[in-house]
Amino acid sequence: MVLVQGKYQISELAAALIGCVVLFMGNCNLLPLQHPPDLPGVLFVLSSVILLHHLRVVRLPPVQELWRFLAELLCFYLATQMLILVVWDQFHNLLNIVRDSLMNTRPVLNLLVNTPKVFVFMRQNFCYLVQVLVALITTHSAVMFTQAMDYALPGRRQYQYID
């Protein structure tokens, strides 16, 4: 039996991305998260699924059975949930602590007196902007490292035939 490795990898990655991102956006999480799903969180889930898929492709042969495919999708979901709890929520909490400590410094309090609009902007949007930047950098790095664009663009796909 000849297997086309590239076809299976594309379907696995697409199913894992759709499943994990949709479940995360639908707030179907194993444990309740402190922060609601947003764009940086979705980008973090996307990059973690891409990296986990790359690790699976490097370590294991292509999936042939449906039960193994479903088991791998469940493993992708559980791994992304653990990464969200361990990495992303802690990063979010760290940014909140840094923002609160910065807001109590003298130069920032002078901004409150001189330009209250800048102070309010920093108070409300600082964490979100940093999260978006970190999530974009992480996603771009994951896509470039794993060469995931080869899956998305048909002209760049590489198929390997395995007996």
Side-chain angles (χ1 to χ4, degrees):
M1 176 181 187
V2 176
L3 292 176
V4 182
Q5 189 174 8
K7 283 181 136 179
Y8 290 108
Q9 292 172 356
I10 293 167
S11 62
E12 289 171 16
L13 180 60
L17 285 174
I18 291 169
C20 292
V21 169
V22 167
L23 288 173
F24 177 71
M25 286 301 294
N27 213 10
C28 299
N29 300 311
L30 295 176
L31 296 172
L33 300 176
Q34 295 177 356
H35 311 287
D38 54 357
L39 176 65
V42 169
L43 289 175
F44 181 76
V45 169
L46 179 80
S47 60
S48 63
V49 168
I50 290 172
L51 289 171
L52 289 170
H53 175 72
H54 180 71
L55 181 66
R56 196 216 62 76
V57 166
V58 169
R59 300 279 183 207
L60 300 172
V63 175
Q64 297 178 18
E65 298 91 14
L66 179 63
W67 68 269
R68 188 170 158 209
F69 177 68
L70 294 175
E72 286 186 4
L73 288 179
L74 179 66
C75 290
F76 277 128
Y77 176 69
L78 295 175
T80 55
Q81 289 293 304
M82 291 305 296
L83 284 171
I84 290 168
L85 288 173
V86 172
V87 177
W88 193 250
D89 270 354
Q90 300 308 316
F91 175 67
H92 201 289
N93 292 336
L94 177 69
L95 282 179
N96 285 337
I97 291 170
V98 168
R99 181 197 61 200
D100 290 341
S101 64
L102 281 175
M103 290 296 136
N104 292 329
T105 61
R106 194 74 193 137
V108 175
L109 291 175
N110 287 338
L111 279 177
L112 175 63
V113 175
N114 299 334
T115 54
K117 289 182 180 181
V118 173
F119 180 82
V120 170
F121 176 79
M122 286 178 57
R123 179 81 182 147
Q124 294 177 348
N125 298 326
F126 171 75
C127 290
Y128 187 75
L129 291 176
V130 171
Q131 284 177 354
V132 168
L133 288 174
V134 168
L136 285 173
I137 291 168
T138 304
T139 304
H140 182 266
S141 300
V143 168
M144 291 298 128
F145 174 73
T146 62
Q147 299 172 350
M149 290 305 290
D150 293 347
Y151 294 124
L153 303 173
R156 293 177 59 181
R157 290 183 188 155
Q158 297 175 1
Y159 297 111
Q160 296 176 358
Y161 298 96
I162 302 170
D163 280 327

